């Protein structure tokens, strides 16, 4: 039988090939819920067999599957749950889970995982939704007033950190907009949330949220170089194909390869050829000029190293937080 992307054996072959070519880590993430994939547990086992670092982003609705594999994960691996609420009422309205599960059940599950694997890094992800936010013309539930209470809940439930991120327009130019009223509310809530911080728990604001406080940072992250160097280090595999950017996944402008193709040497040659071509032709300075991209500082830094290669000698390793995809 021919191996194709999407099949279990095809996915394994793809991962194995990428690993041999230098792949170091894999994030299992949606545009859907990764744990509902029938072979989720088997894929995690395979990734660890390849000695890859593993990150899992889940909404927690099928938490038992994560509990089943948590013993395989080490301190460099991480789990981040996209919960976006401090109350079950808000959680249900935002996520509308298809299975019967409550926020209390999910946080209780974290405590079980913490008992089984005390060294595992677990994050509580909170997408900040302000006034008048919509997806497909459907209004979303405002949750700004729950930020501080979420910090309390996350800390008491055994999470290592609360990750706060702003809502990004899912269509068009992918811009991030926060009105002044909401920004004031966010600042007040975060100030209260940070009172729960200690050596074992942190409240972390994403770069594209921090830029709304710091106009200099805002200017930096919207000054992309023409080439997005971050695309060289990462690929996004989804049912529609392989893409070079998580923000633009599903869009034609970052598509590297189609899905359901035969995995052979010709495929891999074309894959790397297409990726190189896309990196050189994708104009991040123009395409992403409205995007508050967390990889913009990385791109500018790499551009600086390219122009001044002697600076590479001065680089020093730092303590690894592991989960940079915040």
């Amino acid at each position: 039988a021919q191996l194709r992307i999407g099949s279990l054996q095809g996915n394994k072959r793809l991962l194995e090939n990428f690993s041999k070519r230098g792949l170091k880590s894999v994030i299992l993430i949606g545009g859907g819920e990764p744990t509902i994939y029938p072979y989720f547990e088997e894929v995690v086992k395979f990734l660890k067999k390849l000695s890859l670092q593993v990150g899992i982003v889940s909404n927690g609705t099928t938490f038992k599957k994560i509990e089943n594999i948590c013993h395989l994960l080490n301190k460099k691996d991480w789990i981040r749950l996209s919960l976006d609420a401090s109350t079950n009422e808000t959680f249900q309205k935002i996520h509308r889970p298809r299975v019967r599960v409550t926020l209390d059940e999910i946080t209780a599950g974290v405590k079980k995982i913490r008992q089984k694997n005390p060294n595992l890094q677990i994050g509580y992800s909170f997408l900040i939704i302000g006034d008048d936010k919509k997806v497909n013309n459907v209004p979303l539930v405002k949750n700004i007033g729950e930020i501080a209470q979420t910090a309390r809940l996350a800390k008491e439930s055994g999470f290592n950190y609360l990750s706060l991120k702003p809502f990004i327009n899912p269509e068009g130019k992918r811009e991030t907009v926060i009105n002044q009223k909401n920004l004031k509310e966010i600042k007040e809530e975060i100030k209260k949330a940070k009172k729960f911080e200690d050596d074992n728990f942190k409240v972390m604001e994403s770069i594209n949220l921090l830029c709304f406080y710091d106009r200099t940072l805002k200017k930096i992250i919207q000054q992309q170089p023409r080439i997005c160097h971050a695309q060289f280090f990462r690929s996004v595999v989804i049912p529609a194909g392989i893409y070079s950017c998580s923000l633009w996944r599903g869009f034609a402008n970052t598509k590297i390869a189609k899905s359901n193709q035969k995995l052979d040497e010709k495929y891999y040659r074309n894959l790397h050829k297409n990726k190189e071509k896309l990196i050189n032709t994708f104009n991040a300075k123009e395409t992403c000029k409205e995007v508050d991209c967390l990889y913009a500082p990385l791109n500018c830094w790499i551009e600086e190293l390219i122009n001044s290669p002697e600076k590479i000698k001065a680089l020093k390793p730092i303590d690894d937080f592991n989960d940079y995809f915040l």
Side-chain angles (χ1 to χ4, degrees), residues 223-290:
Q223 286 187 336
Q224 290 269 26
R226 187 187 70 81
I227 293 180
C228 175
H229 301 286
Q231 293 181 99
F232 176 82
F233 298 101
R234 55 209 308 270
S235 296
V236 182
V237 182
I238 63 174
I242 298 180
Y243 295 78
S244 64
C245 175
S246 57
L247 181 71
W248 293 104
R249 66 182 184 268
F251 290 75
N253 61 349
T254 63
K255 191 167 187 175
I256 301 171
K258 298 178 181 179
S259 61
N260 198 31
Q261 290 187 312
K262 182 180 178 182
L263 297 177
D264 54 20
E265 284 304 313
K266 180 181 179 181
Y267 170 81
Y268 290 114
R269 286 197 301 271
N270 288 335
L271 177 68
H272 293 287
K273 181 180 179 180
N274 292 344
K275 185 167 187 175
E276 182 180 2
K277 180 180 179 181
L278 190 147
I279 290 172
N280 288 323
T281 58
F282 182 89
N283 189 336
K285 187 173 184 178
E286 179 62 30
T287 304
C288 302
K289 63 183 179 182
E290 302 295 332

Side-chain angles (χ1 to χ4, degrees), residues 46-60:
F46 185 73
L47 291 171
K48 296 312 299 178
K49 183 178 179 181
L50 294 175
S51 299
L52 296 173
Q53 180 187 359
V54 175
I56 300 171
V57 179
S58 169
N59 61 23

Side-chain angles (χ1 to χ4, degrees), residues 84-85 124-128 143 146-147 150 162-165:
D84 313 315
Y124 195 122
S125 181
F126 191 104
L127 179 67
I128 300 173
N143 63 0
E146 296 190 19
I147 292 174
T150 298
L162 170 64
S163 167
L164 299 168
K165 299 172 288 186

Side-chain angles (χ1 to χ4, degrees), residues 197-208:
E197 289 189 322
D198 58 25
D199 291 340
N200 299 312
F201 178 76
K202 302 297 178 184
V203 175
M204 308 182 67
E205 299 147 278
S206 65
I207 289 177
N208 54 352

